[in-house]
Amino acid sequence: MAFMRYRGLPQGEVTAEEFWAWLGQFDADHDGRISREELQRALRSLNLWFASWKARGGVRAADANRDGAVGGEEAGRLFAYAQKQLGGKITQLGSY
């Protein structure tokens, strides 16, 4: 079993671009979208409690077309969820 070393979420205020770039390292299938499992892995890398529950809530809140993953236009909804539920300081400078 190989162990991956992930880059941590930048400290302080994080832009939407930085947040999405950080999440991108957890995109196991490289499809440009984040699944619940990938988001769970990202949250676990931050040592957050209840990562599975928070990932399920994040995808549920952001996945407008209900395909099981967040990407493209749905990214803004995931940023809003992270800002509200995870206590992150994320500023929306760009659009996805």
Side-chain angles (χ1 to χ4, degrees):
M1 177 177 179
F3 289 97
M4 297 285 299
R5 185 173 183 98
Y6 295 110
R7 196 172 33 106
L9 187 62
Q11 297 296 315
E13 197 164 299
V14 178
T15 65
E17 289 84 4
E18 291 170 331
F19 183 72
W20 194 254
W22 174 76
L23 278 178
Q25 67 186 331
F26 300 96
D27 184 9
D29 55 4
H30 305 289
D31 65 351
R33 299 165 355 116
I34 299 296
S35 68
R36 183 184 57 80
E37 293 82 11
E38 293 165 342
L39 183 57
Q40 181 177 334
R41 194 172 310 117
L43 296 177
R44 282 194 177 142
S45 80
L46 298 175
N47 296 320
L48 291 178
W49 288 39
F50 308 110
S52 177
W53 180 77
K54 290 176 181 177
R56 185 173 51 243
V59 171
R60 186 176 293 150
D63 187 14
N65 61 5
R66 300 292 181 226
D67 65 351
V70 177
E73 295 175 6
E74 299 167 330
R77 296 174 72 162
L78 184 57
F79 301 140
Y81 176 84
Q83 201 168 26
K84 182 178 177 184
Q85 299 295 327
L86 304 178
K89 295 180 180 177
I90 301 170
T91 57
Q92 184 85 26
L93 293 180
S95 60
Y96 287 89

